[in-house]
Amino acid sequence: MSAEQLAELSDLFVVAAVLLYVFAMVGFAVDLAFGRARSDRAAAGEPVEARQPVAVGAAVTGGESSATSEASQAPEVASEAAAGAAAGAVAGAAETGTEAVKAAGGPNGPARAGTVALALAWLGWAANFGALVTRGLAVDRWPWGNMYEFVVAISFAAVTAFLVTQIRHNVRFMGAFVMVTAALGLGLAVKVFYTVAGPVVPALDSYWIAIHVSAAIIATGLMTMAGVSGILYLVRGDGASRLPSRADLERVAHRAIVFAFPLWTFAVIAGALWADRAWGRYWGWDPKEVWAFITWVAYAAYLHAKATAGWKGRASTIVQLVAFGCLLFNLIGVNIFIDGLHSYADVD
């Protein structure tokens, strides 16, 4: 295939990924709204269709001459009857609970909507990956040399982080929110950041793009998932909710950042080494360099807050979201609104 055909195929893959992510979002939303409630009831042993309790009792009547003997036997008869009734009730509840668990796909297993949504998410992931591969083949370089390609790669990284985490832990509750984030990211890339496939500026024509930018993309994908989890933490509320507990949401965010922070640290260091090779200095207070460092400081403050008494829960989550805001501004605001040596967005 020619470069033009590969570029067109890449664009089609992006559109397909957007549609698949949207459909997956709907499936995850249905599963979150209804499937989780069924699973929770099944896990608690509550029947989907409650059985009516059966009252078991015994009446003892007789003449006055046998009243004493009947009265002496009454406690034993009542005890046996109560034990039989309790055993029958437990057996019936267990049987009904098992049937409910099977019907709901198990307490932790995906319901039908969740299963379909996961399949669509994987298909969207494959289409997103195909868009990156064909774009790279079309331009004969690593496919993140401008803002359009970078956002497509970050959307792919965020979905990858979610799907890989889902393999080991049940985080399906985040599916709808990660999918809408990825779909919006790709939509923004197509409508606002789209750049025709072509060569990059000389400063980006280096093997460092595979080192520095790749680390930044993976870290940004993980931090995006952490940001989504942090937002859900704040909006969950203290009452009944379809979402997991705040402790679970906080745990997901923390684990993602624990993996992402070293990668972001490496990206900042690799960027300094690349700057020395390209411009003859490690640090020049360029806006992109400054905000990358501010983002690093903000996430370091979050990790410090998590390890400090009194800065857990809501307080540390707010710090994490402030850091996520710095990350988004570094990604979008600096590239679009601030001129500098890193102004590679190619946005009119």
Side-chain angles (χ1 to χ4, degrees):
M1 298 178 68
S2 65
E4 292 78 9
Q5 290 174 325
L6 287 170
E8 292 177 359
L9 182 59
S10 176
D11 295 343
L12 291 176
F13 272 132
V14 169
V15 174
V18 171
L19 294 175
L20 288 166
Y21 286 156
V22 170
F23 292 145
M25 176 199 67
V26 174
F28 282 124
V30 171
D31 178 57
L32 183 63
F34 303 104
R36 182 175 176 81
R38 291 196 304 268
S39 297
D40 289 345
R41 291 198 302 269
E46 299 178 9
V48 176
E49 295 181 0
R51 295 184 176 181
Q52 295 296 326
V54 179
V56 179
V60 180
T61 59
E64 294 181 358
S65 60
S66 61
T68 303
S69 60
E70 293 291 342
S72 63
Q73 295 176 1
E76 297 179 0
V77 174
S79 298
E80 293 177 358
V90 171
E95 180 182 356
T96 307
T98 302
E99 294 173 359
V101 170
K102 292 180 179 179
N108 294 316
R112 181 172 298 178
T115 303
V116 173
L118 275 175
L120 290 172
W122 277 107
L123 289 175
W125 176 89
N128 204 158
F129 179 70
L132 290 172
V133 171
T134 50
R135 180 82 173 193
L137 293 174
V139 297
D140 194 25
R141 56 172 173 77
W142 289 91
W144 33 78
N146 51 61
M147 192 66 176
Y148 167 76
E149 297 170 355
F150 193 65
V151 173
V152 172
I154 288 176
S155 299
F156 173 76
V159 175
T160 301
F162 164 71
L163 292 175
V164 170
T165 304
Q166 171 62 29
I167 293 175
R168 299 192 61 183
H169 307 282
N170 184 17
V171 292
R172 203 168 69 242
F173 61 87
M174 294 186 62
F177 307 97
V178 174
M179 292 301 108
V180 71
T181 302
L184 288 175
L186 291 179
L188 188 67
V190 171
K191 298 297 292 184
V192 179
F193 302 137
Y194 183 77
T195 304
V196 177
V200 295
V201 296
L204 291 180
D205 189 13
S206 169
Y207 62 87
W208 279 103
I209 194 173
I211 301 173
H212 165 65
V213 184
S214 298
I217 287 172
I218 298 172
T220 302
L222 288 166
M223 290 171 176
T224 299
M225 191 174 76
V228 170
S229 184
I231 294 172
L232 295 179
Y233 179 96
L234 294 183
V235 303
R236 184 190 183 279
D238 296 322
S241 174
R242 301 298 188 201
L243 295 173
S245 67
R246 283 183 167 180
D248 290 339
L249 292 169
E250 187 178 9
R251 189 177 302 111
V252 169
H254 182 250
R255 287 177 177 174
I257 293 174
V258 165
F259 281 104
F261 185 74
L263 288 172
W264 188 260
T265 303
F266 174 78
V268 172
I269 295 173
L273 295 174
W274 190 3
D276 178 63
R277 185 177 182 85
W279 301 313
R281 87 300 186 272
Y282 293 100
W283 191 265
W285 297 104
D286 182 75
K288 193 73 171 181
E289 298 170 350
V290 171
W291 276 96
F293 179 69
I294 291 174
T295 301
W296 183 90
V297 171
Y299 277 106
Y302 162 77
L303 292 175
H304 177 72
K306 284 289 295 182
T308 303
W311 280 88
K312 297 182 179 180
R314 184 182 181 87
S316 63
T317 299
I318 291 175
V319 175
Q320 188 252 123
L321 291 178
V322 170
F324 184 55
C326 294
L327 177 73
L328 292 179
F329 184 77
N330 178 62
L331 169 64
I332 300 175
V334 173
N335 286 34
I336 297 177
F337 303 113
I338 302 178
D339 293 330
L341 294 173
H342 290 79
S343 299
Y344 305 131
D346 293 330
V347 178
D348 295 331

